[in-house]
Structure formats: structure tokens, C-alpha cells
Amino acid sequence: MSGKPTVGEYMTRDVETVSPDETVGAVARRMADSDGHNGFPVTQGRTVEGFVSAADLLLADEEAPVFTVMSDDLIVAHPDMKVTDAARVILRSGIQRLPVVDDADNLVGIISNTDVVRSQIERATPSKVGKLMRTLEQIHNVGLSEERREVRLTDLTPTQARVYADELEGRQYELERGLAEPLVVIDNGGELHLADGHHRVMAAHEAGIDEMDAYVIVPDQPVDLGMAKTAKNEGLDDITDIEIVDYARHPLVETTKRLQ
């Protein structure tokens, strides 16, 4: 992926669209039954004719065709556009989802404010990975490689004994919307130690998710990890050994409350 992420790298390619001749009532029902959609591109073939939002449908006649209520003053993005530029358009226009068109004005995707947030999250995690890799190199004097792969949660050895129930709620929200950061895992001779992402893992476990995306750091030879000693001392063999603390709030929340 390039240094500056583009719309084409983060847009959703499978776009749900509506026809200009569909009725307001039919589109409203599709919107109500959809997974969080509050608007659809209106297309004729692959050409974008307009965009219809929930607000456009609100007081319209149910039998009216969509083209009579849609907005045809279109704001669109191009796949080569920088995500940061798309973010500015989304912020300034108040539009939450931009249709993405190619040079022939054909619809090729859609980018939402959620996609923009996800792009920034995915750029933040590699800095954590790089910092951890430099630390491991200095302490253990070993060569390291990095991989991006799916890991099974049941294969992970946690290195943190407890998580906070109130913070799990936020992680569940992120998972549902595809906003969760990848995990950071150390593959030490085949044993997978979870270095970062304990709340994400527990939220995924409670949601019935079996695998998660992870940055995996692999030493070129097994090393005596301090976090492995911590896991052993705490009796942590797998994620089911992590305690969910529901009788205390996260220390940051308590600190903020006291400051207020």
C-alpha cells in the first residue's frame, strides 16, 4: 500500500444501488432493511444519475419515482484521490458516503466516513509494530520479520491477565463497523503471544469470531520473551484465562472523572 492511501484502496466495491424508476416506498423499505444504509447511489446501467438519502424520502409520496426526489447535484470521488482529500469533502459537505467513479464516469465503488476512519487506524498500527520490533532487536539481538495474516484466537497466548468490561463495549462497536485495529502478535517458535489487542480479542471472542487480522512479528530464532514469563506467572494459557473486570472502571475513565 502506498504511503498516502487512496480512495481505491479503501472504497467498498460491491455497491448497492437503486434505479431512477424505483418508487420512494420501495427504496425506503430497502433502506430500512439494510445494514446501516442511509442513502443509495441512483444509477442507470453503470452511470450515476444521482443520490437518494433518507431525508429525500422522508415526506415524499410513496408511489413517486426516485428520480423526482433524488439529488442530482453530485459530489463524487475518483479511485486515485487521496483518502485525506475525500475526508475533507465528506467533512465539508456533510455527505457520509461518496460514490466513486472512474475516468468514464462509471460507478466503481463508494467510500464512507467509516472507510476514512479505518484508513487512519490501519496507518497507526504499523508504528506500534515498528517500535516493538526495535525493542525486541535491542534486547534480544535477533533478526525479525513481519507478516500480515489471520490468526485463530484459540491459538493465542495472552500476556495481559484482565480487561475492563466498559472498554469491551467500545471494541464491540468497532468490530461491528469494521474499525478494529489489527492485533499485534509475536510468533516465537510457533507459539503466538498476543502483544497488543486484548480487549479486541475478548470482544471478538464474545461475538463468536474465530479469527482476526494481525501483524505478526517473527524472530529468526526463539527468544526468551519477558511477556512469556508474565503469561506463565499469571497462569495464562489461552484467552479464556483473561478475566473480564466488571466491578471497576478503566483507570483512564476514573482519572478523567476525578479531573472533572
Side-chain angles (χ1 to χ4, degrees):
M1 188 175 294
S2 64
K4 293 183 178 180
T6 64
V7 166
E9 292 170 334
Y10 283 94
M11 69 184 184
T12 300
R13 297 180 183 275
D14 185 14
V15 185
E16 189 169 354
T17 65
V18 298
S19 163
D21 296 324
E22 287 189 62
T23 65
V24 165
V27 174
R29 285 187 289 275
R30 282 180 59 185
M31 198 173 293
D33 293 338
S34 70
D35 185 19
H37 285 287
N38 57 10
F40 297 117
V42 182
T43 58
Q44 192 75 268
R46 294 182 61 196
T47 304
V48 183
E49 301 285 341
F51 193 89
V52 63
S53 68
D56 297 326
L57 303 175
L58 193 57
L59 298 177
D61 181 354
E62 284 198 0
E63 298 304 318
V66 162
F67 74 83
T68 63
V69 298
M70 72 182 187
S71 172
D72 55 11
D73 185 15
L74 283 177
I75 300 177
V76 298
H78 188 275
D80 294 336
M81 190 177 187
K82 299 293 184 289
V83 170
T84 49
D85 292 334
R88 291 188 182 95
V89 174
I90 288 172
L91 178 64
R92 292 170 182 170
S93 68
I95 298 172
Q96 296 183 8
R97 306 170 79 231
L98 294 179
V100 184
V101 300
D102 61 16
D103 292 333
D105 291 332
N106 292 321
L107 182 70
V108 293
I110 198 160
I111 188 162
S112 68
N113 49 7
T114 299
D115 297 322
V116 171
V117 173
R118 181 169 58 88
S119 75
Q120 299 309 301
I121 286 173
E122 290 191 5
R123 284 168 61 81
T125 307
S127 65
K128 297 180 184 177
V129 176
K131 185 176 180 180
L132 178 56
M133 290 180 71
R134 290 190 295 272
T135 301
L136 291 172
E137 286 172 340
Q138 291 170 2
I139 293 174
H140 299 288
N141 193 28
V142 292
L144 301 167
S145 60
E146 175 202 324
E147 303 171 2
R148 185 79 177 265
R149 66 182 193 235
E150 295 286 315
V151 296
R152 290 188 61 81
L153 304 190
T154 53
D155 293 338
L156 297 174
T157 299
T159 59
Q160 180 177 314
R162 57 191 59 83
V163 296
Y164 293 90
D166 57 325
E167 190 166 340
L168 286 182
E169 295 177 11
R171 298 296 179 263
Q172 288 162 351
Y173 177 92
E174 293 169 357
L175 284 169
E176 289 167 1
R177 289 158 180 79
L179 293 175
E181 291 183 65
L183 308 175
V184 180
V185 173
I186 300 175
D187 184 346
N188 190 30
E191 187 169 359
L192 302 182
H193 293 278
L194 178 61
D196 182 77
H198 288 76
H199 281 87
R200 275 163 274 158
V201 161
M202 292 307 294
H205 177 63
E206 291 196 340
I209 296 172
D210 297 324
E211 295 184 341
M212 292 187 73
D213 185 25
Y215 287 95
V216 182
I217 300 170
V218 186
D220 59 12
Q221 61 187 41
V223 294
D224 190 16
L225 290 173
M227 64 179 65
K229 294 178 182 177
T230 299
K232 185 176 180 180
N233 292 338
E234 294 277 1
L236 302 174
D237 293 317
D238 57 53
I239 61 172
T240 61
D241 295 321
I242 299 174
E243 178 188 6
I244 299 177
V245 181
D246 58 3
Y247 54 83
R249 298 195 63 80
H250 192 286
L252 179 59
V253 176
E254 289 299 325
T255 301
T256 305
K257 184 176 180 180
R258 285 198 299 272
L259 287 172
Q260 290 173 339

